[in-house]
């Protein structure tokens, strides 16, 4: 009985462990990214646009460029002579593809689908940038508040010790006033840090729609590619930088739209099958007629030139944006790499500085307790140690933020 109970407990613990391992951590940027993407206003709009693009693909793959039309007509002389004249007419008309128009429209629809897919990835990348900045701004605000609270606690403890020694006649009133001023300054800094923290939490909450996690996990640095992606690459869109991929897809879509515009020199021809049934009067029998009608609209040179010029202008605009994005990406990547290297060096220096500051503060506190040093020297050493500790905390957050910015410059989303 005891063995079966123990076995059941072990199985339950194992199931709980498997469930916990299956659930993704909620304190990561990836989890926050999914929450933020659900609230993004462009996410639902992109789904609707993708449905429209797929409908355009189905239309381009159809036999006809548009829907057929059925018309029905009837005429008689009942309201004037009333001799039994009857005329019935039924017409089925369908538009026809122009030469090369269907292939151009199919290419345009396919390029538009690719453009929307690239645009989705680019929007997620842009949202990741906003989320990363808000994420590490909150981390910095939490570090600032924690350090301000620690400074306030130590200032209050020192103020109590100084007051006790002042009442005992060991210290002067100036020392008591200095200790109380230190408490007031720490309280003011704590209030400011709390206000900054609330603002940072609100910013992240507006992006994700959820309460910020208690712990903010860091990102792992992504590998830096040695070569730049080509302006025209045959690799999948997901392999490229999202911003570059979106610019390249927009350029391809604009060129396909230009070809479709050039292929549509005029309105679509129309082929109609007409069936007529008529008689002249009551004494005549109905006569049936079957006919075919082909309508060929004339081309409008000014209208075609206007549409082609507009499409050509769009091609030039998106190609210029693509070239500028391709030229800007190496600079942004290099700047992010240099920023990360500088943050790592500054973190090492801040660690050494914090160690010296803590050692000097410990010596100063011992000297003040023994009466070998005055309060002003202790407060100065404490301010130096506080600044060193604050700099160390800032550099830890700055290094993590630099890693996120490097990942952002490389096009990596959480």
């Amino acid at each position: 009985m005891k063995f079966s109970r123990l076995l059941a407990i072990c199985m339950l613990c194992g199931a709980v462990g498997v469930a916990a391992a299956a659930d993704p951590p909620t304190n990561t940027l990836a989890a926050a990214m999914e929450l933020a993407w659900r609230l993004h206003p462009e996410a639902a709009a992109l789904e609707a646009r993708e449905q429209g693009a797929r409908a355009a693909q189905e239309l381009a793959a159809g036999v006809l460029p548009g829907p057929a039309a059925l018309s029905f007509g009837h005429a008689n002389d009942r309201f004037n002579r009333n001799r039994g004249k009857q005329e019935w007419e039924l017409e089925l008309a369908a538009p026809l593809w122009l030469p090369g128009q269907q292939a151009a429209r199919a290419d345009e629809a396919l390029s538009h689908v690719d453009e929307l897919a690239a645009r989705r990835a680019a929007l997620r990348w842009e949202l990741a940038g906003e989320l990363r900045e808000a994420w590490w701004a909150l981390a910095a605000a939490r570090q600032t508040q924690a350090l301000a609270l620690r400074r306030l606690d130590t200032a209050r403890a020192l103020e109590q010790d100084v007051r006790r020694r002042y009442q005992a006649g060991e210290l002067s009133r100036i020392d008591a006033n200095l200790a109380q001023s230190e408490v007031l300054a720490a309280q003011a800094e704590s209030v400011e840090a709390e206000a900054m923290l609330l603002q940072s939490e609100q910013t992240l909450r507006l992006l994700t729609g959820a309460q910020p996690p208690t712990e903010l996990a860091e990102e792992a640095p992504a590998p830096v590619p040695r070569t730049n992606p080509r302006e025209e690459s045959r690799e999948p869109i997901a392999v490229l930088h999202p911003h570059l991929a979106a610019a390249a897809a927009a350029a391809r879509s604009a060129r396909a739209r230009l070809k479709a515009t050039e292929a549509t020199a005029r309105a679509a021809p129309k082929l109609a099958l007409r069936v007529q049934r008529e008689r002249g009067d009551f004494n005549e029998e109905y006569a049936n007629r079957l006919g075919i009608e082909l309508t060929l609209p004339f081309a409008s040179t000014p209208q075609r030139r206007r549409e082609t010029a507009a499409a050509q202008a769009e091609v030039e605009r998106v190609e210029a944006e693509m070239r500028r994005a391709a030229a800007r990406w190496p600079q942004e990547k290099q700047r992010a790499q240099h920023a990360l290297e500088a943050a790592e060096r500054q973190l090492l220096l801040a660690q050494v500085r914090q160690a010296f500051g803590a050692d000097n503060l410990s010596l100063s506190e011992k000297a003040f307790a023994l009466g070998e040093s005055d309060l002003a020297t202790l407060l100065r050493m404490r301010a130096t140690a506080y600044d060193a500790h604050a700099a160390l905390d800032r550099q830890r957050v700055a290094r993590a933020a630099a890693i996120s910015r490097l990942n952002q410059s490389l096009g990596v989303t959480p």
Side-chain angles (χ1 to χ4, degrees):
M1 184 68 180
K2 293 182 179 180
F3 176 76
S4 61
R5 184 178 300 175
L6 179 62
L7 180 61
I9 293 175
C10 292
M11 293 177 62
L12 179 60
C13 294
V16 172
V18 171
D23 293 336
T26 58
N27 63 336
T28 61
L29 274 167
M33 181 66 192
E34 295 303 322
L35 295 176
W37 180 249
R38 294 174 188 174
L39 298 179
H40 199 280
E42 289 292 333
L46 275 176
E47 293 181 0
R49 293 191 182 100
E50 288 173 353
Q51 293 178 1
R54 287 190 291 268
Q57 276 188 305
E58 295 177 1
L59 180 62
V63 180
L64 303 175
L70 180 66
S71 60
F72 176 78
H74 172 66
N76 57 49
D77 61 349
R78 183 176 301 175
F79 296 101
N80 46 16
R81 292 180 297 175
N82 196 19
R83 294 179 179 178
K85 179 179 176 60
Q86 297 284 343
E87 182 178 337
W88 304 86
E89 182 176 353
L90 182 65
E91 181 181 285
L92 178 63
L96 302 177
W97 289 107
L98 291 170
Q101 185 184 24
Q102 185 176 14
R105 288 287 177 84
D107 186 45
E108 179 187 8
L110 179 60
S111 63
H112 188 48
V113 172
D114 293 340
E115 180 186 5
L116 290 176
R119 181 57 181 161
R120 175 185 290 272
L123 281 175
R124 287 183 64 91
W125 173 75
E126 293 174 1
L127 179 61
E130 297 181 21
L131 183 62
R132 281 166 168 147
E133 293 299 327
W135 187 269
W136 295 117
L138 175 59
R142 286 180 175 178
Q143 292 285 355
T144 302
Q145 189 205 30
L147 196 59
L149 292 177
R150 188 159 56 247
R151 178 188 178 186
L152 179 59
D153 292 339
T154 55
R156 285 173 176 172
L158 177 64
E159 194 267 340
Q160 292 177 0
D161 182 50
V162 170
R163 183 189 307 168
R164 178 183 57 81
R165 295 177 63 178
Y166 165 68
Q167 292 174 354
E170 298 178 4
L171 296 177
S172 65
R173 184 177 178 182
I174 296 178
D175 293 334
N177 291 338
L178 285 176
Q180 190 172 5
S181 299
E182 177 68 13
V183 172
L184 294 176
Q187 287 178 344
E189 185 175 355
S190 176
V191 171
E192 183 180 359
E194 184 179 1
M196 186 182 301
L197 176 61
L198 292 176
Q199 183 178 359
S200 301
E201 288 181 346
Q202 184 180 11
T203 302
L204 187 60
R205 193 181 301 115
L206 287 175
L207 285 174
T208 61
Q211 188 69 19
T214 55
E215 295 183 2
L216 303 178
E218 298 183 8
E219 282 189 276
V224 180
R226 294 179 178 272
T227 58
N228 299 335
R230 299 185 300 273
E231 183 174 327
E232 290 290 340
S233 177
R234 296 181 180 179
E235 297 179 351
I237 289 179
V239 176
L240 301 176
H241 190 287
H243 186 55
L244 299 178
R252 289 193 296 269
S253 180
R255 288 193 292 267
R257 193 158 46 248
L258 175 60
K259 291 181 180 179
T261 302
E262 292 174 347
T264 309
R266 58 177 63 86
K270 184 176 67 172
L271 179 64
L273 176 64
R274 180 177 300 173
V275 178
Q276 291 182 335
R277 181 177 174 84
E278 61 180 355
R279 72 181 182 183
D281 53 29
F282 291 107
N283 297 324
E284 295 182 3
E285 296 182 356
Y286 279 99
N288 299 325
R289 291 190 297 176
L290 180 65
I292 297 178
E293 180 182 11
L294 179 63
T295 304
L296 296 175
F298 290 104
S300 175
T301 303
Q303 180 180 0
R304 180 185 179 187
R305 190 167 60 246
R306 182 194 63 182
E307 295 175 354
T308 304
Q312 182 65 38
E314 181 67 13
V315 169
E316 294 177 357
R317 184 186 68 82
V318 296
E319 286 184 348
E321 289 184 356
M322 181 181 62
R323 290 191 296 268
R324 187 173 73 169
R328 183 191 304 173
W329 180 74
Q331 300 177 2
E332 293 179 352
K333 182 187 67 172
Q334 187 177 11
R335 182 167 59 248
Q337 286 180 289
H338 291 168
L340 178 57
E341 294 173 359
E344 290 177 345
R345 291 196 300 267
Q346 290 178 358
L347 178 60
L348 294 177
L349 295 175
Q351 290 173 348
V352 176
R353 178 187 173 190
Q354 191 271 339
F356 281 119
D359 187 38
N360 291 335
L361 178 60
S362 177
L363 296 175
S364 181
E365 288 175 345
K366 292 179 181 179
F368 178 74
L370 296 174
E372 298 176 357
S373 177
D374 57 358
L375 181 61
T377 303
L378 175 61
L379 291 178
R380 186 170 66 253
M381 291 297 101
R382 180 161 292 177
T384 303
Y386 171 80
D387 292 340
H389 199 166
L392 178 59
D393 289 340
R394 283 196 302 268
Q395 285 308 128
R396 286 172 179 168
V397 176
R399 180 185 178 276
I403 292 176
S404 293
R405 293 190 182 100
L406 177 59
N407 292 345
Q408 181 72 15
S409 68
L410 295 176
V412 177
T413 55

